[in-house]
């Protein structure tokens, strides 16, 4: 993308709506995405930071008046500067608190969507992180009303949010204070923690003071702060995107550089609940799902979104897998007929490629239903028919002289039978590599002719005729046994290939489930580390009651994680058992 596009707009009736052109852009991105969203009050310079993350001076509209420039949510997708095969998706959101809107719920919806879609959330503000700045973040305190982890009828503690929420960065613009607390120099991060410090007490005033701070500390797994000085002379701020770098403060450019590098290095790839990596295509589905849910008056639910994505992606994964197999075999079909070992080898190769394609895109196929629908036609029948047609064509050519002699009555004379048998044997010898089944069919077709010539040959005695008939039956029986042996070999080879394919399927199922379990464990570890840090901080500041509550949340998180792991283990065991049962049925039907 050479410039941003509108991803989410506001319709004439005030409802949020997704722009189809933006979804088409996301649909083309098969890579994992790192999603960085910026939120904050309008006219605070959010767009400038996003342009810098895109590596551009201009792009997202900055505006130069008191009117909010960005409406809805705008998107810019660029190659990630430091992560290979990854796309950086930048989301610039509509400024919060715009007096023209007159709808505080609209702001909260925009804020909630930024949280739901991003892997890193940047909060942009001006001045200092004082009580007024934090109080303006009432959107954080309302998140539990606008985002659900599971369906409304399932009670889930909001402590679970930390497992799925993005990392949090507070960018303080036009910062003029000295980073000094109690006469000691401090870091930007320490300044943020000082601003988020809780007050002791249980009065309504204290509770109101603590609430937004507790929400930030509780919901987001990690926090970071950057303080930006004035970028330039106040008269030039409105034209920041067109200024020569020499006219911009070196300190401002230095902080901007650190800010961008931190995001490039530390922002994680976006994951769904249950650990599935989000690609551009999946992000598009998520945007559509969340916005449609909000437009319907319902509350976006992480669990429902995952279920919806799993159905879409698994059905598409089956289709992609079948296309890989069929395109490969259809190309091979142009070379039919082939030797059995060659076609079975190619069948195995393409079926494994198809399974790998399915596994790469699928997720949460815990019952194996979609994997089971990945059935392949081995193309053996097509190859056999092509082989039979080729053999019959060659036999027709080889037997043409004999057919002509038969029509001319050449063999209807004394000794004609011996001549006919010799010609027939010559044809067989010429085609000593003939497929057994086709040769059997050819000889069967000649039984009537052979019998007629035998009966017409008055040189032979009745006893000699009986001996010849017995010999002919023996030849046919021998050829039938050879054909049966060939069919048996084909069946055995096919069963071996099926068993190998089935073993590989089970191996890939186990690998897929283990990868998903590992990502879930990483999610839980990140959440646990965050809560342990908070607990230590609370105990250090004398908030014993809060620390005890945090300890309860940590224990609850451990218990739920154990339940999830046990459930996943049972799912894996059942899926393997079901897959092995299907494999046995598939082999028995071969």
């Amino acid at each position: 993308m050479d410039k941003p596009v509108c991803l989410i707009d506001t319709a004439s009736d005030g409802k949020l709506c997704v722009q189809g052109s933006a979804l088409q852009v996301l649909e083309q991105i098969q890579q994992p995405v790192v999603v960085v969203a910026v939120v904050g009050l309008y006219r605070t310079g959010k767009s400038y930071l996003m342009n810098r993350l895109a590596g551009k001076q201009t792009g997202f509209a900055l505006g130069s008046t008191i009117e909010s420039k960005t409406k809805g949510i705008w998107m810019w997708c660029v190659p990630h500067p430091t992560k290979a095969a990854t796309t950086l998706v930048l989301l610039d959101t509509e400024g919060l608190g715009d007096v023209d809107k007159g709808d505080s719920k609209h702001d909260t919806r925009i804020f909630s969507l930024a949280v739901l879609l991003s892997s890193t959330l940047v909060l942009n503000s001006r001045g200092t992180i004082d009580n007024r700045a934090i109080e303006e973040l009432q959107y954080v305190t309302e998140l539990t009303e606008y985002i659900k982890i599971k369906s409304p009828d399932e009670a889930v503690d909001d402590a679970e949010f930390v497992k799925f929420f993005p990392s949090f960065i507070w960018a303080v613009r036009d910062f003029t204070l000295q980073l000094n607390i109690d006469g000691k120099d401090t870091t930007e991060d320490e300044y943020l923690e000082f601003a988020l410090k809780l007050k002791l007490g249980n009065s309504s005033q204290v509770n109101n003071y603590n609430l937004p701070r507790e929400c930030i500390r509780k919901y987001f797994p990690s926090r970071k702060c950057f303080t930006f000085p004035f970028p330039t002379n106040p008269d030039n701020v409105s034209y920041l995107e067109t200024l020569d770098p020499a006219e911009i403060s070196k300190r401002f450019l230095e902080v901007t550089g650190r800010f961008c590098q931190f995001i490039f290095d530390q922002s994680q790839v976006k994951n769904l609940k249950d650990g599935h990596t989000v690609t551009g295509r999946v992000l598009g589905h998520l945007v559509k799902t969340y916005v449609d849910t909000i437009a319907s008056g319902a509350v976006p639910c992480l669990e429902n979104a995952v279920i919806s994505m799993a159905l879409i992606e698994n059905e598409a994964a089956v289709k992609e897998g079948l296309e890989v197999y069929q395109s490969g075999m259809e190309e091979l079909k142009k070379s039919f007929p082939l030797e059995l070992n060659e076609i079975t080898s190619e069948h195995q190769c393409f079926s494994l490629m198809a399974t790998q394609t399915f596994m790469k895109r699928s997720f949460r196929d815990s019952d194996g239903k979609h994997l089971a629908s990945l059935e392949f036609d081995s193309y053996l029948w097509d190859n056999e028919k092509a082989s039979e047609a080729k053999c019959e064509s060659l036999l027709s050519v080889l037997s043409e002289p004999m057919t002509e002699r038969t029509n001319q009555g050449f063999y209807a004379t004394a000794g004609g039978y011996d001549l006919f048998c010799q010609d027939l044997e010559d044809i067989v010898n010429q085609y000593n590599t003939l497929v057994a089944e086709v040769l059997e069919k050819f000889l069967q077709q000649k039984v009537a002719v052979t019998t007629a010539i035998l009966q017409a040959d008055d040189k032979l005695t009745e006893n000699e005729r009986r001996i010849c008939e017995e010999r002919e039956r023996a030849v046919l029986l021998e050829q039938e046994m050879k054909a049966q042996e060939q069919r048996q070999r084909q069946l055995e080879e096919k069963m071996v290939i099926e068993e190998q394919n089935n073993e590989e399927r089970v191996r890939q199922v186990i690998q897929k489930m283990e990868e998903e379990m590992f990502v879930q464990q990483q999610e839980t570890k990140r959440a646990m580390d965050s809560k342990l840090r908070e607990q230590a901080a609370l105990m250090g500041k004398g908030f014993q009651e809060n620390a005890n509550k945090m300890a309860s949340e940590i224990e609850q998180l451990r218990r739920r994680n154990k339940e999830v792991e046990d459930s996943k283990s049972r799912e894996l065991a059942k899926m393997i058992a079901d897959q092995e049962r299907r494999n046995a049925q598939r082999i028995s039907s071969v």
Side-chain angles (χ1 to χ4, degrees):
M1 296 175 64
D2 57 357
K3 62 181 180 180
V5 297
C6 183
L7 176 63
I8 301 171
D9 202 356
T10 306
S12 57
D13 59 0
K15 291 184 177 179
L16 297 173
C17 57
V18 182
Q19 297 297 300
S21 57
L23 291 182
Q24 289 175 4
V25 172
L26 290 173
E27 180 67 27
Q28 304 305 313
I29 300 175
Q30 307 298 323
Q31 298 177 335
V33 292
V34 172
V35 187
V36 180
V38 62
V39 296
L41 297 179
Y42 76 108
R43 302 302 305 125
T44 53
K46 301 188 306 299
S47 300
Y48 176 83
L49 289 181
M50 301 305 273
N51 288 339
R52 301 310 301 157
L53 287 172
K56 304 292 183 180
Q57 189 73 11
T58 62
F60 289 111
L62 268 62
S64 57
T65 68
I66 60 170
E67 181 185 8
S68 175
K69 195 73 176 177
T70 302
K71 300 296 182 182
I73 298 179
W74 283 65
M75 174 187 75
W76 200 350
C77 305
V78 297
H80 198 286
T82 61
K83 291 182 171 66
T86 304
T87 296
L88 178 63
V89 179
L90 304 172
L91 301 180
D92 188 16
T93 66
E94 181 174 342
L96 306 175
D98 185 359
V99 293
D100 289 339
K101 283 181 292 192
D103 182 3
S104 60
K105 290 184 177 180
H106 179 84
D107 281 352
T108 308
R109 293 187 190 106
I110 292 291
F111 188 91
S112 300
L113 282 169
V115 170
L116 285 167
L117 297 175
S118 65
S119 46
T120 295
L121 181 73
V122 179
L123 173 65
N124 193 78
S125 69
R126 272 184 172 169
T128 60
I129 308 178
D130 55 16
N131 193 46
R132 178 175 172 276
I134 293 176
E135 284 179 348
E136 287 173 343
L137 276 179
Q138 81 273 13
Y139 316 104
V140 178
T141 67
E142 298 170 353
L143 282 175
T144 55
E145 299 175 27
Y146 285 80
I147 298 175
K148 299 296 180 185
I149 293 175
K150 293 190 175 182
S151 55
D153 55 334
E154 295 184 69
V156 177
D157 196 301
D158 60 1
E160 288 276 302
F161 280 140
V162 72
K163 291 174 64 176
F164 316 112
F165 271 24
S167 300
F168 180 84
I169 296 176
W170 197 320
V172 187
R173 308 292 290 277
D174 303 343
F175 185 77
T176 57
L177 301 179
Q178 292 292 321
L179 286 173
N180 187 289
I181 300 174
D182 295 332
K184 296 181 180 179
D185 290 339
T186 188
T187 66
E188 293 164 312
D189 292 342
E190 289 170 339
Y191 169 65
L192 175 59
E193 294 308 305
F194 178 78
L196 296 178
K197 186 173 65 174
L198 304 179
K199 284 185 177 181
L200 289 168
N202 291 309
S203 67
S204 59
Q205 185 177 3
V206 169
N207 290 337
N208 290 336
Y209 176 91
N210 287 341
L211 180 59
R213 291 167 172 80
E214 286 178 328
C215 290
I216 294 174
R217 303 175 73 101
K218 188 175 185 179
Y219 296 158
F220 298 98
S222 65
R223 300 185 292 275
K224 183 72 178 172
C225 181
F226 290 91
T227 56
F228 295 77
F230 272 102
T232 185
N233 185 295
D235 294 336
N236 295 331
V237 169
S238 299
Y239 313 102
L240 192 58
E241 61 183 325
T242 60
L243 289 180
D244 187 282
E247 300 179 79
I248 301 176
S249 159
K250 289 182 180 180
R251 169 66 179 156
F252 178 84
L253 292 176
E254 183 269 325
V255 177
T256 301
R258 281 196 298 110
F259 168 82
C260 292
Q261 198 60 49
F262 179 85
I263 287 182
F264 296 153
D265 294 342
Q266 300 300 322
S267 292
Q268 301 298 310
V269 167
K270 174 72 176 174
N271 283 320
L272 285 177
K273 181 178 179 291
D274 284 355
H276 184 70
T277 297
V278 174
T279 62
R281 180 187 62 244
V282 173
L283 181 63
H285 292 320
L286 280 178
V287 172
K288 188 77 167 59
T289 299
Y290 289 142
V291 172
D292 286 351
T293 301
I294 292 172
S296 72
V299 177
C301 172
L302 296 173
E303 177 72 13
N304 291 346
V306 171
I307 293 172
S308 174
M309 291 306 100
L311 179 61
I312 293 171
E313 289 297 290
N314 288 338
E315 288 178 350
V318 171
K319 184 179 178 182
E320 280 189 11
L322 291 175
E323 286 175 352
V324 166
Y325 176 81
Q326 289 168 355
S327 63
M329 292 301 288
E330 285 295 325
E331 185 64 28
L332 186 69
K333 190 175 178 180
K334 297 175 183 178
S335 305
F336 282 4
L338 298 170
E339 292 292 335
L340 178 63
N341 62 346
E342 186 175 356
I343 189 173
T344 51
S345 175
E346 292 298 317
H347 161 73
Q348 183 180 31
C349 176
F350 288 124
S351 60
L352 291 180
M353 286 173 59
T355 303
Q356 290 168 353
T357 300
F358 169 84
M359 288 294 182
K360 185 177 180 181
R361 182 163 184 175
S362 70
F363 72 101
R364 257 207 177 191
D365 186 28
S366 53
D367 58 1
K369 181 181 71 173
H370 289 91
L371 178 60
S373 65
L374 199 66
E375 295 288 346
F376 308 114
D377 174 10
S378 67
Y379 281 73
L380 287 178
W381 186 85
D382 298 280
N383 190 60
E384 289 169 4
K385 286 300 174 184
S387 177
E388 184 177 330
K390 184 175 182 178
C391 293
E392 288 178 343
S393 174
L394 182 54
L395 279 171
S396 177
V397 172
L398 292 174
S399 63
E400 197 171 301
M402 187 178 70
T403 301
E404 188 175 341
R405 287 181 178 184
T406 302
N407 293 336
Q408 292 173 353
F410 179 78
Y411 302 113
T413 60
Y417 176 73
D418 286 339
L419 292 172
F420 179 81
C421 288
Q422 184 59 51
D423 287 348
L424 191 59
E425 186 178 347
D426 288 343
I427 293 172
V428 174
N429 289 336
Q430 289 178 61
Y431 200 77
N432 56 10
T433 58
L434 189 65
V435 176
E437 290 187 31
V438 177
L439 181 57
E440 178 197 9
K441 184 178 179 181
F442 172 76
L443 292 175
Q444 287 283 4
Q445 291 170 347
K446 298 303 178 184
V447 168
V449 177
T450 303
T451 302
I453 293 173
L454 176 62
Q455 295 298 329
D457 193 340
D458 53 13
K459 177 184 175 182
L460 299 174
T461 65
E462 188 64 32
N463 187 50
E464 288 174 329
R465 286 192 180 95
R466 281 198 298 272
I467 292 173
C468 289
E469 287 173 350
E470 288 296 328
R471 187 172 63 196
E472 293 298 329
R473 281 195 290 271
V475 170
L476 287 172
L477 180 60
E478 180 184 4
Q479 198 58 46
E480 183 179 344
M481 290 177 65
K482 287 181 179 179
Q484 180 61 33
E485 288 173 0
Q486 180 173 320
R487 284 193 291 269
Q488 183 62 29
R489 283 196 303 273
Q490 290 177 343
L491 179 62
E492 289 173 355
E493 288 184 29
K494 188 176 180 181
M495 289 180 67
V496 168
I497 293 296
E498 283 297 325
E499 286 179 355
Q500 291 174 345
N501 286 348
N502 293 336
E503 288 174 1
E504 178 61 20
R505 273 193 172 195
V506 171
R507 187 195 68 78
Q508 291 191 29
V509 165
I510 294 173
Q511 181 180 348
K512 178 81 171 180
M513 296 284 280
E514 287 177 344
E515 288 173 354
E516 290 181 352
M517 286 178 68
F518 175 77
V519 175
Q520 287 182 34
Q521 289 168 351
Q522 293 299 106
E523 283 181 351
T524 302
K525 182 179 183 302
R526 186 176 72 151
M528 292 286 290
D529 290 346
S530 173
K531 288 191 175 296
L532 287 169
R533 287 194 303 270
E534 286 303 313
Q535 184 191 28
L538 289 168
M539 291 180 67
K541 297 297 183 181
F543 291 89
Q544 190 60 49
E545 184 178 343
N546 298 68
N548 292 340
K549 184 179 178 183
M550 186 67 69
S552 175
E553 291 179 1
I554 291 170
E555 183 57 36
Q556 189 176 32
L557 200 59
R558 284 198 181 101
R559 186 174 66 254
R560 283 180 179 163
N561 184 54
K562 181 67 167 57
E563 290 172 356
V564 169
E565 288 186 353
D566 291 344
S567 175
K568 282 290 181 182
S569 297
R570 290 192 297 271
E571 280 183 9
L572 178 59
K574 183 178 183 303
M575 191 172 183
I576 292 172
D578 289 345
Q579 188 64 40
E580 290 176 343
R581 175 178 51 78
R582 294 188 189 101
N583 294 344
Q585 292 173 345
R586 191 180 293 112
I587 291 174
S588 65
S589 65
V590 171

